[in-house]
Amino acid sequence: MGIFNKADILLPSEKVDLKKWSVIACDQYTSQPKYWEEVKNIVGTAPSTLKIVFPEVYLSEGEERIFAINAEMNNYLESGIFKEYKNILIFVERTQSDGRVRRGILGTVDLEEYDFSKSSKSLIRATEGTVLERIPPRVKIRENAPLELPHILILMNDEKDEIIKKPEGSEKLYDFELMQNGGNIKGYKIEDGQADKIIEKINEAAKSARGNLLFAVGDGNHSLATAKTCWENVKKTLSAEEIKSHPARFCLVEIENIHQNAIQFEPIHRVVFGENPEKVIDELKAFYPETSEKENGGVHIKYVFGDKEGDLYIKNSGYLLAVGALQNFLDSRDFKIDYIHGDSTARALAKEENNIAFLLPKPDKNDLFDGVIKDGALPRKTFSMGEADDKRFYVEAKKIK
């Protein structure tokens, strides 16, 4: 087995309405329950990934929902909802809401080649700091699940754009419009020699990867860290021979080339809930005494609350990035915080009484690999790959039991 491998991939059978089946990654719209209520209305009683993932907006429902998810996974497996495609890759073509087309290849990564610690030198690395407290709740969701559904997007630094291409003559497996302004998604089967050629190119790239970094996690850092944690737990119960091929060792992901024009990095904003906004700003200024509302050479963030908007320049914070300085301050307080994709969403939340949004500048995607090689994992929630609507939707699944 190499770092990237073919998989036995499950897709819904022909009797399933794919638009109702496929929903956006579970970590989106966490402060907008209306979005997920609309998803529920669209899905109704139809088979759907909504019923076998745990949208984080509903995390307060706890173990009762986890039991229901696992039961529904087993029900789908037993009732013929899925069709299994053995030993394949899938070429994914996603037309985003902005019309740009993003290309990826779905397969599995070997979790033995992944380490999410900040000082990691592994071939697969986290791009943002992993919050260890966020892992145990996710482990509870995964540890007894018979299936995994991928929303993890992993980036390659393929400057010549030679690897992630659709082989000629590939059979189309699906082609449908995604709900809720999600655009269109197509999937093509890659098998046999065509798949082997792609895997061979990736293995060759691994040998010469700058800084020994082949894959950087673009989206789904905590999901991959959860898969790794669960694998380490499972591994303790296995023989040396079983470890080589156990399905939990291999995590289903989509790999994409960072140099695609369709991949745009967007900031992830912070919204503080239930606090006097002016008091929050005063506390930030006290935390960083050289903060000014006029340009002073420091890192720049905007704040918005109600009808007010302003600028803050934080000087001598000890952080090269504005997100690092802001997060350091927020971590020092017991605020209720959410991480928001999209300016308009953050601004809408900031209109509500006793909320304040901090808007961060757009990061440069070309700095990502060098930044991770040099500094290790970046501050958590540093960037988002595109707007919220362009996140990965659940379509495929893989057995992990």
Side-chain angles (χ1 to χ4, degrees):
M1 289 289 190
I3 187 171
F4 186 70
N5 303 283
K6 292 178 278 188
D8 297 339
I9 297 175
L10 299 170
L11 285 172
S13 67
E14 294 79 3
K15 63 185 179 182
V16 175
D17 182 338
L18 291 176
K19 188 167 184 176
K20 293 181 178 182
W21 170 261
S22 186
V23 305
I24 204 165
C26 64
D27 57 351
Q28 299 303 302
Y29 296 104
T30 53
S31 292
Q32 293 160 279
K34 286 183 180 178
Y35 176 93
W36 289 100
E37 288 302 310
E38 182 60 27
V39 172
K40 282 205 291 191
N41 290 335
I42 292 168
V43 167
T45 59
S48 176
T49 54
L50 176 65
K51 299 168 186 177
I52 53 174
V53 299
F54 202 152
E56 293 186 7
V57 71
Y58 300 129
L59 280 180
S60 61
E61 296 181 17
E63 293 194 4
E64 183 177 342
R65 192 176 184 107
I66 294 172
F67 293 144
I69 288 168
N70 290 341
E72 195 72 345
M73 284 182 175
N74 285 311
N75 175 43
Y76 285 178
L77 284 167
E78 293 165 6
S79 61
I81 290 291
F82 289 113
K83 181 177 179 180
E84 187 170 42
Y85 294 84
K86 292 282 191 180
N87 213 30
I88 66 165
L89 303 174
I90 294 179
F91 178 84
V92 179
E93 190 176 270
R94 171 78 179 276
T95 303
Q96 300 176 159
S97 55
D98 62 5
R100 290 175 172 153
V101 178
R102 210 172 67 221
R103 294 171 285 113
I105 294 178
L106 191 81
T108 60
V109 289
D110 184 352
L111 293 170
E112 290 291 302
E113 300 285 357
Y114 164 62
D115 175 6
F116 57 79
S117 67
K118 182 173 174 60
S119 59
S120 170
K121 301 298 179 187
S122 60
L123 281 164
I124 310 170
R125 290 180 220 168
T127 51
E128 65 175 33
T130 302
V131 185
L132 297 180
E133 302 81 49
R134 294 181 66 186
I135 301 300
R138 287 162 173 77
V139 168
K140 281 188 177 181
I141 296 167
R142 185 182 176 92
E143 62 187 356
N144 293 314
L147 299 174
E148 65 175 2
L149 291 92
H151 75 252
I152 299 161
L153 296 176
I154 288 185
L155 297 171
M156 283 194 76
N157 190 18
D158 180 14
E159 294 179 6
K160 295 180 181 179
D161 198 18
E162 296 176 328
I163 295 174
I164 299 174
K165 295 184 178 297
K166 181 179 70 175
E168 290 186 13
S170 302
E171 176 191 346
K172 186 185 287 185
L173 295 173
Y174 54 78
D175 178 356
F176 63 99
E177 298 299 311
L178 297 160
M179 67 171 71
Q180 299 275 70
N181 198 40
N184 176 273
I185 191 166
K186 300 178 179 70
Y188 298 83
K189 182 167 66 172
I190 311 173
E191 56 187 342
D192 303 330
Q194 290 180 328
D196 293 336
K197 285 179 183 177
I198 292 169
I199 291 168
E200 184 179 337
K201 287 180 180 179
I202 290 171
N203 288 334
E204 283 300 311
K207 294 175 185 176
S208 58
R210 189 166 72 250
N212 198 48
L213 175 60
L214 177 68
F215 288 148
V217 184
D219 267 344
N221 271 283
H222 284 87
S223 293
L224 193 60
T226 300
K228 172 72 169 181
T229 302
C230 286
W231 164 239
E232 291 297 329
N233 292 338
V234 169
K235 189 165 68 169
K236 295 171 187 173
T237 69
L238 303 176
S239 68
E241 192 60 30
E242 289 171 325
I243 285 171
K244 293 178 183 178
S245 59
H246 194 282
R249 173 174 171 168
F250 304 97
C251 185
L252 200 57
V253 304
E254 183 181 332
I255 61 170
E256 299 184 347
N257 181 18
I258 194 172
H259 297 290
Q260 293 182 77
N261 290 333
I263 292 182
Q264 300 291 317
F265 277 18
E266 301 294 338
I268 301 178
H269 307 305
R270 275 67 171 154
V271 176
V272 177
F273 298 86
E275 301 286 341
N276 182 303
E278 292 180 345
K279 182 172 179 290
V280 173
I281 293 170
D282 288 342
E283 288 186 31
L284 189 150
K285 289 178 177 177
F287 192 81
Y288 293 120
E290 294 186 61
T291 297
S292 172
E293 298 199 22
K294 296 182 178 180
E295 209 286 320
N296 64 358
V299 296
H300 175 228
I301 58 175
K302 281 186 173 292
Y303 64 83
V304 180
F305 63 92
D307 295 323
K308 295 184 179 180
E309 182 172 332
D311 298 285
L312 294 172
Y313 297 88
I314 306 171
K315 191 174 182 180
N316 292 329
S317 66
Y319 290 86
L320 293 174
L321 299 177
V323 63
L326 176 61
Q327 193 62 48
N328 186 44
F329 161 67
L330 295 175
D331 286 346
S332 74
R333 299 297 190 269
D334 189 25
F335 294 150
K336 181 186 177 185
I337 302 165
D338 201 2
Y339 301 88
I340 303 298
H341 303 261
D343 286 20
S344 59
T345 303
R347 288 177 180 275
L349 291 168
K351 291 283 187 185
E352 298 175 14
E353 188 176 0
N354 287 330
N355 289 357
I356 179 170
F358 291 103
L359 306 181
L360 288 153
K362 185 171 183 172
D364 186 344
K365 71 177 184 179
N366 294 311
D367 294 337
L368 179 67
F369 273 76
D370 286 340
V372 172
I373 290 167
K374 181 182 176 184
D375 299 328
L378 303 172
R380 73 180 183 275
K381 301 290 185 182
T382 295
F383 68 92
S384 167
M385 286 172 56
E387 299 289 352
D389 291 337
D390 298 326
K391 296 300 174 182
R392 198 177 202 286
F393 276 61
Y394 300 105
V395 182
E396 311 87 352
K398 181 180 80 72
K399 295 175 185 175
I400 53 176
K401 294 287 186 186

